[in-house]
Amino acid sequence: MESHRGLERAVTVQINVLTGKHLRGSRSESCLSFIRAEFNGRVLGDSQTLDVAVDRDAVYNLTCSFECSELTHTLDHLAHQPVILTLIEDSPEEKEQKTAVLGQAVVDLLPLLKGQRRFSSSVLLHAVPGSPVDASLNEDSEKATLDVSVSVQEPLLSDIQISESNMLMVTVETAYSVPDIWDPASTPPSSYVAALQIPLSAAKEQILLFSNGRVKMGGERESVPRPKKWPVGHLLVPGAEVMEGQFIETEPTDMSHGDLMDIEDTDFRADAECNRKRVSWDTVRRCFIDAGGLACLSRRIAECRLWPVEIMRCPQTRQTDAGKNHKEKQAEDEISFHGVVYMDLAPLLYPGVRRIHGTYRIHPFHECELLTKAQRTHSVLMEMSRAPASHGSTRPSSSVDTSKASQVFENKRENRDAFKKGKPDQSDSRADTNVQVNAKGQMCADSRSYIVIEIALDKPLVPKRPPGELAKRLMPQRAERAVHHYHSQIASVTAQVLDQYQQLFGAAFVLGRRPLDPALREERKARLLGELNSSGTYFAFKEQMKYSVVRIVREKMMRTDAFKDPEELQAFLSQLYVYLVDEMHVALNKTLSVDSQDKHREPGLSFSQLKLLAKEAELNNDYKQAAQYYQECAVRDDSEPSHWFDYGVFHMLTADHIKAEECFQRAVSIDQKHTSSLLMCGVLSEMNGCYEDAETFFESATCAEPDSVVAWTLFGLFCQSQEKSFQAEMAFLEANKQLRSVPKNKPESTAEHQTEPGEKNHQTDKTSQTPAGKTEETDIDVKTVNEVDNRDCKEEEAAGVSPSSVKTTIYTEAVRFLLKNYALQMAQRALAQELLSPDRGSNSSYHLALAQLQMLRGEHNSAEESLREALTDNLQNPDVWALWGHLNYMREDYSQAKSCYERTTSLDAADTHSVHLRLGSIYLQDREYKKAKGTFQKACRSSPSCLTWLGLGTAYYRLDELKEAEDALTKASALNSRNAEVYGFLTLVYLRAGRKPEAEQSYNYAVKMNLQKELLLQEIHDLQARAGFEKPFF
């Protein structure tokens, strides 16, 4: 294929050096000089020698070129090597003509790899220290520059090749805490080398060599930001080795990649990076990788995520004495201080990740460890040292070579060749060498040496799903909302026009009035239009309608591009006009219907009160009443996504997943960043087998709220189920990162998720359930537990441990969200991961969540066992006691439920609304009216609702406190005028007080609201008979 073939034929790259500005030589009046162009170790050409005055530009007009092909100067050479321009001064006055290098400039050829055919730049000329150019810089004169242009006759890469290829940049920064024996003043001097191997194509591997590391003494930190250097820096004068626009920036202390990331390593790193010896490279190597190379790189990372980077120290001396003994030859042949770091490149396979930057421990090199960890059979440094000596001739050189590092491997080859002439290779000597290498490499491990490396890509290996996909999937909902918005604007404008009409002519609609004759109607119409135009109101109406029409065009008609054909534009405008007129009539029929009359509405409850009433209805298994409350919230404000989300959660409770999905998608269509709705859409899409949609929703949730622990955890669970291991790993790592960033004092409570457990599978009336039999094996002895726990509680308080403080994990957070929203399948998977997690929370939190899941599934016996396990780990957890109370309440074991609820209230749980309601009802049932009164008073203070005031009113009535009972019941009726039991007890209060008219009215309301409680009805009838009524009135 085209993207895998690379360069099909050689392409000529032409370099034109046009002029030099502000050049100075050894002579004060003029500069006799020429320009030499070099690339990839070869001289491309010299310009003519010019003698130009120092105040004039030197017009060199040097034109040279080289062939870019797959054989000589490859695309990878263009990526990591610049064109070197050297300014050379000629001295013809000397007896022997001499030349001197004045300075160098570099030209980056990267734009050619981006698809450009021509570019020009003015490059800075960097002076050789001590040269006349350097002296002029010290005098604050203008900087010397060269004007250069680069061109090719055709692009080096096609658009497809550019889109499918990538640029990888490896930056080796600094190795810290190196062995003390590494000394910058050592004799002979040494070079420090780092190397790794990268696939450039499907068939070609490239060794990246960083050979100019130099030892620095400790005492201060490395400066930031500091520039990155070309990998051929030893060929360049100081300053020219800097790669323009590339800097090593300050990194956060909690880098997410590499080793030494624990808190206990922070002090060690701070000391090493300030006070200890280090080896500095600060060198970046760019690699051009084609589509085949990217596929190979991704496959290799997927097969083995650890990538070796080898490090060694090499002496920079030439020793060719053939008379040395065998051991001396072996010492020369070894790779000194051979170490290796294992970089985890798996994050490069995370969606959207383009960069990893971390600290990595330096380990002693062992071939067996290399095979085990990195699945490599040989060392790249050993391969380079064993390569033929002719291979070294391809190493770049230039007119200025500031390092002897290029001689290192040639020296070692010569020594090895000389040794082989005398004696063949033997396995024993190789074993001895390994021992020596291991001994020296172990020094790096003993010193806890580590190195900072960065790997960056222009484009991620795995692209992230674009956010626009979600908008496309939700286009139908957005179209409906666009039409609805247009209707609302029509209604608004209509109301304003009607107000203007009534100001001019009086009431518009009067019952019994005869219709206007046509002439008068036209007169009024003309006058109204004139008034609207003269006052500017008509223009304001147009502006008001403009946005809604634009939304119709974009979201309903799905037209976003400009029209190029006038006929097509006219056809579209005609279609749009017809549609807008039709929808206007629909809106007007709704707004100006003669039959519609405003109905008197009693003051409505707040949304929070409505939702509290809905939760109480769910608590009593009255799902029809709960649905009405949720519907009222959605109808009163259908543009609020939280109302639709709560309605969707209600449908999850009733297992109506189709309606639940509709509600969640409606919430997302209103607000595409409503994270909870996005997550539930993803959960339901996965349940329905729509995995692509589920991935879109989960990814969108992480984009909408990047710091959400739950969003990243659910995304990871989904990717794990789809066997996308790297995406799952990325999501879990991000979730843990966000969890660690949460303030430690932020309360982590699960009480709010336990207000209505177990209701889903218990929709039958409690009177029809068979009470669970009590046995010594299943019943909890609360008194015994209290006695045992009093001592534990005192010990915990003395130790300063909060009874309710529980370690949380990402899976715990996910389970809370899923159980709260009744997503039981994924909740079970999250619990399984929590059980397998090495840093799992306490047993109490796990078994508590497991018990909740089992109760929602109706597995009461299993839930009881889980609660026992939870109490074994933490007897002071109020959420466990609350859930056990709910379990016993549903089993109609009210005695045990009362004990558990009392324990919960004594521990001061975070959310006790359901506990107070049920405990108060048990007190009423057991005729402990004073306790019931106190419990409901607490509930009314913390979260007042119809049921709390009803319970308090009932307790007051049973205590014969009729005035207080009437007040409480009146407040209950104000919060919910449709509760028949409230009017039933009001009837009793009025009958006891002798207020027959109010009693009759209350009774009628109770019957109208279909009062079902037989005992309450019988009590009313008995009191009516004692009060002297012949028969119950209705």
Side-chain angles (χ1 to χ4, degrees):
M1 294 178 61
E2 180 186 9
S3 60
H4 291 265
R5 285 198 299 264
L7 285 171
E8 297 182 351
R9 58 183 180 275
V11 178
T12 301
V13 179
Q14 183 172 299
I15 294 96
N16 295 318
V17 182
L18 304 176
T19 60
K21 300 178 180 180
H22 313 296
L23 305 182
R24 291 182 179 272
S26 58
R27 297 181 296 178
S28 60
E29 297 84 6
S30 64
C31 178
L32 182 63
S33 62
F34 65 94
I35 296 293
R36 173 170 295 169
E38 302 168 79
F39 179 73
N40 194 22
R42 299 185 181 181
V43 176
L44 303 180
D46 293 344
S47 72
Q48 58 181 327
T49 302
L50 298 179
D51 190 2
V52 181
V54 294
D55 58 348
R56 302 194 55 159
D57 297 343
V59 182
Y60 293 105
N61 283 334
L62 169 63
T63 300
C64 54
S65 63
F66 63 89
E67 298 293 327
C68 182
S69 67
E70 293 184 348
L71 299 177
T72 54
H73 306 296
T74 64
L75 295 175
D76 184 59
H77 286 129
L78 270 67
H80 79 274
Q81 292 193 27
V83 174
I84 302 175
L85 303 178
T86 306
L87 176 65
I88 303 176
E89 184 180 27
D90 200 353
S91 302
E93 294 133 353
E94 302 288 339
K95 293 181 180 180
E96 295 181 4
Q97 187 173 2
K98 295 182 178 181
T99 59
V101 176
L102 297 178
Q104 280 184 331
V106 294
V107 180
D108 193 352
L109 300 180
L110 184 62
L112 298 181
L113 299 178
K114 301 294 186 181
Q116 295 187 27
R117 295 180 56 184
R118 178 185 300 273
F119 69 92
S120 300
S121 63
S122 180
V123 293
L124 183 65
L125 187 69
H126 298 273
V128 173
S131 68
V133 177
D134 186 39
S136 66
L137 292 177
N138 295 331
E139 296 172 0
D140 295 332
S141 59
E142 295 188 64
K143 295 181 179 180
T145 59
L146 298 176
D147 293 335
V148 184
S149 68
V150 181
S151 63
V152 290
Q153 293 181 351
E154 59 180 299
L156 295 180
L157 298 169
S158 66
D159 293 339
I160 296 178
Q161 289 174 317
I162 292 175
S163 64
E164 295 184 353
S165 62
N166 210 332
M167 190 71 67
L168 181 141
M169 292 185 291
V170 180
T171 304
V172 177
E173 298 181 11
T174 307
Y176 294 98
S177 189
V178 296
D180 291 335
I181 197 173
W182 292 10
D183 191 345
S186 63
T187 303
S190 298
S191 173
Y192 299 87
V193 180
L196 71 157
Q197 197 166 3
I198 294 292
L200 300 184
S201 64
K204 181 180 180 181
E205 297 269 347
Q206 178 66 45
I207 295 177
L208 310 186
L209 191 67
F210 302 82
S211 58
N212 291 312
R214 58 190 182 92
V215 177
K216 293 182 180 180
M217 301 302 291
E220 61 180 3
R221 289 183 174 272
E222 295 290 310
S223 60
V224 287
R226 59 186 186 274
K228 297 180 180 180
K229 303 174 184 177
W230 288 98
V232 292
H234 62 283
L235 308 177
L236 302 172
V237 301
E241 80 276 12
V242 172
M243 184 177 289
E244 185 178 358
Q246 298 291 328
F247 295 93
I248 296 174
E249 304 288 347
T250 304
E251 277 295 316
T253 56
D254 57 340
M255 287 186 292
S256 56
H257 307 293
D259 309 319
L260 300 173
M261 293 294 104
D262 296 333
I263 298 177
E264 53 268 23
D265 298 320
T266 304
D267 293 339
F268 166 72
R269 285 181 52 192
D271 177 65
E273 293 171 15
C274 183
N275 300 320
R276 301 193 183 185
K277 289 182 181 178
R278 76 280 312 267
V279 175
S280 176
W281 284 271
D282 293 346
T283 301
V284 59
R285 170 61 157 89
R286 290 194 304 225
C287 303
F288 176 82
I289 307 180
D290 63 15
L294 291 175
C296 179
L297 178 64
S298 300
R299 185 182 69 255
R300 293 265 298 275
I301 296 175
E303 292 172 353
C304 182
R305 60 192 300 158
L306 296 181
W307 207 273
V309 180
E310 298 181 41
I311 299 170
M312 71 173 182
R313 187 181 76 166
C314 294
Q316 294 182 355
T317 58
R318 298 179 62 92
Q319 297 183 13
T320 58
D321 184 6
K324 295 194 174 185
N325 58 35
H326 178 71
K327 291 185 178 181
E328 290 175 333
K329 296 290 185 180
Q330 282 185 320
E332 291 174 354
D333 193 48
E334 72 175 82
I335 296 180
S336 178
F337 292 94
H338 194 180
V340 61
V341 302
Y342 295 99
M343 293 187 65
D344 185 1
L345 299 192
L348 291 180
L349 295 184
Y350 297 167
V353 172
R354 297 189 301 111
R355 173 179 178 265
I356 57 175
H357 190 184
T359 59
Y360 301 92
R361 291 287 302 271
I362 301 177
H363 305 276
F365 179 86
H366 297 280
E367 287 189 352
C368 59
E369 187 179 51
L370 183 70
L371 179 61
T372 302
K373 289 186 175 182
Q375 299 181 9
R376 305 290 179 92
T377 58
H378 61 275
S379 162
V380 294
L381 290 177
M382 289 181 179
E383 284 295 312
M384 291 190 67
S385 63
R386 292 169 185 169
S390 59
H391 179 73
S393 62
T394 62
R395 185 175 180 84
S397 61
S398 78
S399 301
V400 177
D401 193 339
T402 61
S403 172
K404 296 182 180 180
S406 59
Q407 302 175 359
V408 170
F409 287 106
E410 294 180 9
N411 297 343
K412 298 179 76 63
R413 293 189 197 100
E414 292 177 6
N415 295 337
R416 182 179 291 104
D417 293 342
F419 171 70
K420 287 184 177 180
K421 290 179 182 179
K423 190 172 183 179
D425 185 24
Q426 296 181 3
S427 59
D428 293 340
S429 62
R430 185 178 304 168
D432 294 339
T433 301
N434 284 337
V435 172
Q436 294 178 9
V437 169
N438 292 340
K440 292 186 177 180
Q442 185 63 34
M443 292 185 182
C444 295
D446 295 340
S447 301
R448 298 185 68 187
S449 303
Y450 65 93
I451 189 171
V452 181
I453 302 177
E454 177 192 59
I455 295 182
L457 293 158
D458 275 359
K459 296 173 288 188
L461 293 177
V462 181
K464 200 168 186 178
R465 190 184 299 265
E469 286 195 20
L470 179 62
K472 293 180 181 179
R473 298 179 188 276
L474 298 174
M475 188 61 69
Q477 291 85 350
R478 292 178 62 84
E480 293 176 4
R481 293 199 55 77
V483 176
H484 177 75
H485 183 261
Y486 176 72
H487 287 175
S488 65
Q489 294 303 312
I490 290 290
S492 174
V493 171
T494 302
Q496 296 179 62
V497 172
L498 186 59
D499 290 341
Q500 187 75 16
Y501 180 90
Q502 291 176 343
Q503 291 178 11
L504 295 175
F505 311 112
F509 302 103
V510 178
L511 294 177
R513 176 187 292 180
R514 297 178 59 184
L516 299 176
D517 61 86
L520 183 58
R521 186 167 62 242
E522 288 298 325
E523 179 183 349
R524 289 189 174 185
K525 177 181 177 181
R527 183 180 172 188
L528 176 62
L529 290 175
E531 184 67 25
L532 294 175
N533 278 294
S534 61
S535 63
T537 308
Y538 183 75
F539 176 77
F541 289 162
K542 288 173 59 177
E543 291 298 318
Q544 181 178 346
M545 295 297 302
K546 183 184 296 184
Y547 177 66
S548 61
V549 175
V550 170
R551 287 188 61 181
I552 291 288
V553 172
R554 290 179 177 175
E555 300 176 11
K556 181 67 177 178
M557 304 294 188
M558 300 179 65
R559 296 304 302 254
T560 56
D561 299 330
F563 289 92
K564 298 180 180 179
D565 186 359
E567 294 183 0
E568 184 182 0
L569 174 60
Q570 290 300 323
F572 176 77
L573 290 177
S574 300
Q575 178 188 2
L576 177 63
Y577 176 78
V578 172
Y579 180 81
L580 292 177
V581 170
D582 290 343
E583 292 299 326
M584 179 187 69
H585 290 156
V586 173
L588 290 176
N589 289 335
K590 293 179 180 179
T591 305
L592 299 177
S593 175
V594 177
D595 297 332
S596 64
Q597 297 180 0
D598 293 334
K599 297 181 180 180
H600 175 70
R601 298 179 60 88
E602 58 186 30
L605 302 174
S606 66
F607 291 120
S608 60
Q609 290 174 325
L610 286 172
K611 292 178 182 180
L612 182 58
L613 292 175
K615 288 296 182 182
E616 290 178 341
E618 293 174 8
L619 195 65
N620 295 326
N621 297 331
D622 190 355
Y623 297 108
K624 182 178 180 181
Q625 187 68 45
Q628 292 178 357
Y629 291 129
Y630 287 122
Q631 289 170 0
E632 185 173 346
C633 290
V635 169
R636 285 172 54 179
D637 187 2
D638 63 350
S639 62
E640 174 55 48
S642 63
H643 300 335
W644 292 104
F645 175 77
D646 292 334
Y647 196 20
V649 173
F650 166 74
H651 288 304
M652 291 292 293
L653 171 64
T654 60
D656 191 347
H657 295 158
I658 296 178
K659 289 185 177 179
E661 188 172 19
E662 292 176 356
C663 292
F664 294 137
Q665 290 187 355
R666 181 65 179 273
V668 173
S669 68
I670 297 171
D671 181 7
Q672 293 192 20
K673 293 187 178 181
H674 195 259
T675 308
S676 299
S677 298
L678 287 169
L679 292 174
M680 290 308 298
C681 283
V683 170
L684 289 172
S685 296
E686 185 191 24
M687 290 174 59
N688 297 331
C690 303
Y691 301 118
E692 186 176 354
D693 291 346
E695 185 174 3
T696 301
F697 284 118
F698 285 128
E699 281 193 14
S700 300
T702 59
C703 293
E705 192 174 347
D707 58 350
S708 171
V709 176
V710 174
W712 284 110
T713 307
L714 296 190
F715 185 35
L717 291 172
F718 168 77
C719 292
Q720 195 175 58
S721 68
Q722 300 299 304
E723 298 183 353
K724 298 181 178 180
S725 57
F726 290 107
Q727 288 91 329
E729 179 183 310
M730 176 207 66
F732 290 145
L733 286 174
E734 189 65 27
N736 278 300
K737 177 182 176 182
Q738 298 303 329
L739 183 64
R740 290 193 297 269
S741 65
V742 175
K744 297 300 182 182
N745 58 354
K746 182 177 180 179
E748 298 287 349
S749 174
T750 59
E752 63 175 349
H753 308 293
Q754 302 172 12
T755 54
E756 57 280 331
E759 303 301 328
K760 175 180 175 181
N761 295 285
H762 303 277
Q763 301 179 10
T764 57
D765 187 76
K766 288 192 288 262
T767 56
S768 63
Q769 298 179 0
T770 303
K774 297 182 180 180
T775 64
E776 293 181 358
E777 296 180 355
T778 59
D779 289 344
I780 180 173
D781 189 349
V782 178
K783 293 183 178 179
T784 303
V785 171
N786 287 338
E787 294 174 358
V788 173
D789 188 45
N790 285 336
R791 181 180 68 256
D792 297 339
C793 182
K794 292 179 180 179
E795 293 176 356
E796 290 177 351
E797 291 177 355
V801 178
S802 173
S804 61
S805 61
V806 180
K807 178 183 178 182
T808 185
T809 66
I810 59 173
Y811 305 110
T812 304
E813 296 293 319
V815 168
R816 290 171 183 169
F817 174 83
L818 294 169
L819 291 179
K820 179 183 178 182
N821 300 307
Y822 310 104
L824 306 186
Q825 292 183 11
M826 187 169 278
Q828 183 176 8
R829 283 156 46 195
L831 275 175
Q833 291 298 319
E834 168 71 11
L835 186 62
L836 299 174
S837 176
D839 55 347
R840 58 177 292 189
S842 65
N843 290 329
S844 177
S845 62
Y846 168 76
H847 287 101
L848 173 62
L850 180 61
Q852 288 179 265
L853 177 64
Q854 291 165 340
M855 287 181 65
L856 289 170
R857 287 180 168 175
E859 303 169 359
H860 288 173
N861 292 334
S862 299
E864 183 176 1
E865 292 300 322
S866 298
L867 289 172
R868 287 184 182 277
E869 293 291 337
L871 282 180
T872 302
D873 185 67
N874 184 5
L875 286 169
Q876 294 297 311
N877 192 334
D879 301 328
V880 177
W881 290 104
L883 196 61
W884 201 314
H886 294 320
L887 177 62
N888 289 316
Y889 190 89
M890 286 159 34
R891 287 175 164 179
E892 296 187 353
D893 187 354
Y894 299 122
S895 175
Q896 293 292 346
K898 180 172 69 173
S899 299
C900 293
Y901 287 148
E902 288 174 343
R903 182 63 176 266
T904 303
T905 56
S906 68
L907 293 174
D908 193 20
D911 183 5
T912 57
H913 184 75
S914 60
V915 173
H916 284 145
L917 285 178
R918 287 180 167 175
L919 179 60
S921 66
I922 294 174
Y923 283 144
L924 290 176
Q925 181 178 331
D926 293 344
R927 298 189 178 186
E928 299 180 59
Y929 300 127
K930 290 186 177 180
K931 291 184 178 181
K933 170 184 171 182
T935 300
F936 283 118
Q937 283 177 337
K938 292 180 181 178
C940 290
R941 284 193 296 267
S942 60
S943 54
S945 67
C946 175
L947 293 186
T948 59
W949 287 112
L950 171 61
L952 183 59
T954 304
Y956 279 133
Y957 175 76
R958 299 304 182 190
L959 293 171
D960 293 330
E961 301 177 16
L962 300 183
K963 180 64 172 63
E964 291 78 3
E966 181 182 357
D967 292 340
L969 293 171
T970 302
K971 292 179 180 178
S973 65
L975 291 175
N976 185 6
S977 60
R978 289 167 281 187
N979 190 306
E981 192 174 351
V982 172
Y983 294 106
F985 275 101
L986 277 173
T987 302
L988 293 176
V989 171
Y990 292 143
L991 287 172
R992 291 276 300 275
R995 296 156 60 180
K996 295 183 180 179
E998 289 97 330
E1000 182 177 2
Q1001 184 179 13
S1002 297
Y1003 180 74
N1004 290 339
Y1005 266 103
V1007 175
K1008 183 179 180 180
M1009 297 299 172
N1010 194 21
L1011 181 61
Q1012 296 291 324
K1013 293 202 171 184
E1014 295 295 334
L1015 293 178
L1016 181 58
L1017 284 171
Q1018 184 61 44
E1019 185 177 1
I1020 293 174
H1021 294 160
D1022 293 343
L1023 194 56
Q1024 287 174 347
R1026 287 198 300 270
F1029 294 99
E1030 295 182 358
K1031 61 179 179 178
F1033 36 78
F1034 176 66

